[in-house]
Amino acid sequence: GQQVMQIPQYQHVQEGEDFTTYCNSSTTLSNIQWYKQRPGGHPVFLIQLVKSGEVKKQKRLTFQFGEAKKNSSLHITATQTTDVGTYFCAGDSGTYKYIFGTGTRLKVLA
Amino acid sequence: DTGVSQDPRHKITKRGQNVTFRCDPISEHNRLYWYRQTLGQGPEFLTYFQNEAQLEKSRLLSDRFSAERPKGSFSTLEIQRTEQGDSAMYLCASSLWREGTDTQYFGPGTRLTVL
């Protein structure tokens, strides 16, 4: 069955450093979504990518969808303490049965 | 607060009992998803509805799980004969689906503990 893996599992950064998490699917995706979940909270939608090679930016966050639509990345520039949380990608192969990745837990040290 | 509500927020039950959870989505949203999340893991897809039609169901879902969305508004998820392995956070999400757009708004979840 379809699998979605994320690396790294954990990342500790100093405030102001950059952060990147990578998402890889075992199958070609129709679209991919990214979510942020704070400790004790629920997932919060960040973005959806649909097109091959697509790049979208939201302030300090940059999202990319690979040319083959099997991988994606989220890059945060100059992290802040408010960026703390777990970042999940969720891939859809066209059936809307979203498969969430294993998540990357980000800690930002002030 | 995303506008998606779930009830109850916490449920403690004994093994073998039946439980039912309710999700109230954002009012104009046509899609409703159910997920299950255990500690340290990402949400696991269970099922989703387009209006009142249940379009997909995870093969991981045993026959003990059933979901309904009778009028295309609120939804219920029932677990029969609960097992300790069913202990998890059950999340509901709704979206206003259009081609190329499926922004899911998650509710706060129902935490189930099976003793």
Side-chain angles (χ1 to χ4, degrees):
Chain A
Q2 180 190 357
Q3 290 186 323
V4 177
M5 302 298 294
Q6 273 183 262
I7 54 171
Q9 189 175 359
Y10 300 97
Q11 185 80 55
H12 295 183
V13 299
Q14 287 290 136
E15 188 174 21
E17 291 182 339
D18 292 356
F19 160 76
T20 304
T21 174
Y22 300 90
C23 180
N24 293 286
S25 170
S26 58
T27 60
T28 302
L29 300 172
S30 173
N31 71 85
I32 193 162
Q33 299 182 346
W34 284 91
Y35 291 83
K36 177 183 178 181
Q37 186 171 23
R38 291 180 179 273
H42 56 268
V44 175
F45 177 90
L46 295 176
I47 209 155
Q48 177 172 324
L49 304 171
V50 179
K51 298 177 182 177
S52 169
E54 189 169 16
V55 178
K56 286 189 176 180
K57 293 188 176 184
Q58 289 180 350
K59 298 183 180 178
R60 296 179 295 106
L61 278 60
T62 302
F63 304 85
Q64 290 188 314
F65 201 7
E67 294 289 341
K69 300 183 76 173
K70 295 183 72 174
N71 57 73
S72 181
S73 65
L74 158 59
H75 179 81
I76 303 178
T77 304
T79 54
Q80 300 174 357
T81 54
T82 53
D83 295 326
V84 165
T86 301
Y87 292 84
F88 292 102
C89 62
D92 166 38
S93 296
T95 61
Y96 303 102
K97 294 166 68 173
Y98 290 94
I99 305 298
F100 278 71
T102 46
T104 296
R105 182 180 294 178
L106 173 64
K107 287 192 175 181
V108 180
L109 307 173
Chain B
D1 184 5
T2 61
V4 178
S5 60
Q6 292 187 245
D7 183 70
R9 295 291 303 276
H10 302 273
K11 179 71 176 179
I12 300 174
T13 191
K14 293 183 179 179
R15 188 177 54 184
Q17 298 294 306
N18 299 344
V19 293
T20 300
F21 309 141
R22 177 180 171 124
C23 171
D24 285 272
I26 295 171
S27 60
E28 68 270 21
H29 282 189
N30 52 10
R31 283 206 173 169
L32 189 149
Y33 294 83
W34 283 100
Y35 295 90
R36 176 173 66 185
Q37 186 175 28
T38 54
L39 195 63
Q41 302 297 314
E44 176 187 6
F45 173 87
L46 295 178
T47 189
Y48 89 90
F49 294 85
Q50 174 92 10
N51 299 311
E52 67 273 11
Q54 187 174 20
L55 296 187
E56 287 288 348
K57 186 175 177 180
S58 170
R59 283 173 292 186
L60 299 173
L61 219 59
S62 74
D63 291 341
R64 296 185 298 107
F65 288 71
S66 62
E68 293 182 342
R69 194 183 184 199
K71 296 182 180 180
S73 56
F74 74 92
S75 176
T76 58
L77 176 68
E78 181 184 17
I79 308 174
Q80 296 182 329
R81 304 181 303 281
T82 52
E83 301 171 356
Q84 288 186 326
D86 296 331
S87 295
M89 178 72 84
Y90 288 82
L91 294 164
C92 168
S94 73
S95 72
L96 181 61
W97 180 84
R98 295 191 182 97
E99 189 65 39
T101 301
D102 194 18
T103 303
Q104 296 183 60
Y105 295 87
F106 279 80
T110 294
R111 182 170 296 282
L112 173 66
T113 302
V114 182
L115 302 176

